[in-house]
Amino acid sequence: MPLYEIETNAHILITWAEDETQAKVVVNDNYPNDDVIRLTKRPRNSWVISKAALGLTDQRVDPCLVARDCLSKAEGDKVHAIRLYMNETGVDLDKARKAIESNMVLGW
């Protein structure tokens, strides 16, 4: 069963559902006053939140790992991966492009 990330006007839900329709039913059943803003089928069967990315540790995040994760989330779509990388790391467009493209060459 696929894992879905659902953003509403008040919550972010992570849930398994058969399809997008069933994912929306989960939201409507649990949060009937929320409006679905974004619904994304996750490329993996688990949800991971990096403590380092949230700034909760002193560890630095390896840019290659972030770039590879963004490529995976974007299912190989370079432009989408670049946007994700910019969002994850806060770098500018040129640095994000270089990170994503260098990882694509390495065969992420």
Side-chain angles (χ1 to χ4, degrees):
M1 189 176 314
L3 186 66
Y4 286 90
E5 174 184 348
I6 309 158
E7 182 180 356
T8 72
N9 55 313
H11 300 92
I12 296 176
L13 294 86
I14 309 302
T15 189
W16 280 279
E18 291 294 330
D19 54 28
E20 288 186 10
T21 303
Q22 290 300 318
K24 289 178 183 178
V25 168
V26 170
V27 175
N28 291 332
D29 287 349
N30 294 290
Y31 302 98
N33 296 324
D34 284 14
D35 296 320
V36 174
I37 297 171
R38 182 177 51 85
L39 184 108
T40 306
K41 182 178 174 184
R42 301 291 300 167
R44 299 180 183 164
N45 64 356
S46 61
W47 178 255
V48 178
I49 299 173
S50 167
K51 286 185 171 183
L54 294 174
L56 300 176
T57 69
D58 292 334
Q59 289 179 313
R60 302 263 311 147
V61 177
D62 180 6
C64 287
L65 293 177
V66 175
R68 289 169 184 256
D69 189 49
C70 291
L71 280 161
S72 178
K73 288 177 185 174
E75 298 176 349
D77 180 338
K78 181 174 112 174
V79 174
H80 185 55
I82 290 170
R83 288 185 190 121
L84 289 171
Y85 189 84
M86 289 172 61
N87 190 40
E88 292 274 334
T89 62
V91 300
D92 64 15
L93 177 63
D94 189 51
K95 288 180 183 174
R97 183 188 56 77
K98 287 178 184 176
I100 295 298
E101 287 178 350
S102 64
N103 277 278
M104 289 179 84
V105 170
L106 295 172
W108 62 276

